[in-house]
Each structure stands twice: as C-alpha cells, then as structure tokens.
Amino acid sequence: MIMHHYPVKILLRIDWSEMDLFGHVNNVAYFKYIQASRVNYWELTGLAASFDQTKIGPILLSTSCQFIKPLFYPGNIIVEAGISFMKNTSFGIHHRILNEQSELCAEANDVIVNFDFNRQEKTTISASFREAVRKIEGRDIPNDK
C-alpha cells in the first residue's frame, strides 16, 4: 500500500448550488474542490507565477476520484494534497477530501505534465520546481523517470 503525505491543505465552503436532487453534493463539485486544491499547490510552488514569464507550466493530463462518503450543505471541507510521484516531465498530486468531522469523503489522483505552451510540447520539470516541492513536502521526491 502506498503511503501518502498531505502537507498542503485548503478549507472550502460547500455551496447550496452544489447539491443534487438526492440532497447531497453532486459528484461534479468534488472535481471543483480537487481543482481548487491542485491550483493552490501550483501557486505555492511558484508554477503559476513562473508561467506568466515563461509560458511553461502545468497541464492536467488526467484526474480521477474515488467517492467514499457523501457531503452535505451546509458545511465546510478540507482538501489535503501531496505529491505522489515525480518523473522527468510529469508529476502526480494525491488529494483527500475531509468533512467537518475529519471523515474521509473522497480521494483523488491527478497526473500533471510540465508543458511548454510556446512550443506546444511537454518539457522537463525544472530544478526550482523540484526544490519548491521538496520544501513544501519536507522530503525528497525521487525521480521515477
């Protein structure tokens, strides 16, 4: 079993508009929460700011979510995130969505590619991004090539 580490956390409010016909949060909203967590992680590493200057940055290759327990309005959630792997041109973020009772409600996995938008091709992950991740995670992420 892979052990995950979640150094980045974001608190989000559940909106009434996210409810579905059955009285719980619709599955589409979970992907919105995951996106907020992903972008928060990117901002903390400096990827968002770096993109403005270089037009090199992250692009989402895939995302998946395992729904475990329903969420309800009103309420708040915490989305935790940590890097699950890093290769030469891609990396993964693992997310956990917790309700106000700290119960696990969903787990998600993103695969992100470092992309040069000028050349329209993937490119090697920079040393500065790897260092930012190391500082955030408090650990070295091995390069899985």
Side-chain angles (χ1 to χ4, degrees):
M1 180 176 173
I2 297 172
M3 297 301 293
H4 293 285
H5 181 69
Y6 307 97
V8 175
K9 299 172 183 11
I10 187 171
L11 175 68
L12 300 171
R13 184 177 76 91
I14 296 172
D15 288 328
W16 181 81
S17 65
E18 296 166 341
M19 301 297 287
D20 66 14
L21 177 67
F22 305 106
H24 54 72
V25 172
N26 186 281
N27 63 72
V28 174
Y30 286 72
F31 288 98
K32 189 174 98 175
Y33 306 149
I34 296 160
Q35 178 180 358
S37 176
R38 176 187 322 120
V39 171
N40 181 52
Y41 201 105
W42 291 350
E43 289 173 346
L44 291 173
T45 63
L47 280 180
S50 172
F51 174 79
D52 290 339
Q53 297 170 355
T54 65
K55 299 302 180 227
I56 294 173
I59 191 168
L60 184 65
L61 176 68
S62 69
T63 187
S64 64
C65 185
Q66 175 80 35
F67 304 99
I68 298 167
K69 190 173 193 126
L71 293 168
F72 301 95
Y73 174 88
N76 295 298
I77 60 168
I78 293 177
V79 186
E80 301 176 327
I83 296 293
S84 54
F85 72 87
M86 192 171 305
K87 296 183 179 183
N88 286 335
T89 60
S90 65
F91 61 96
I93 302 178
H94 190 261
H95 309 269
R96 293 182 353 142
I97 298 174
L98 307 173
N99 64 16
E100 289 180 309
Q101 293 75 40
S102 296
E103 297 169 319
L104 181 62
C105 296
E107 287 189 278
N109 288 292
D110 293 336
V111 177
I112 296 133
V113 173
N114 197 45
F115 197 77
D116 185 331
F117 288 85
N118 295 310
R119 299 172 64 188
Q120 293 295 299
E121 62 186 27
K122 65 183 179 177
T123 189
T124 304
I125 294 172
S126 71
S128 61
F129 174 72
R130 289 180 187 279
E131 179 59 19
V133 167
R134 190 190 65 71
K135 286 180 181 175
I136 290 167
E137 297 279 330
R139 63 190 173 104
D140 288 326
I141 309 294
N143 187 347
D144 292 339
K145 298 195 184 219

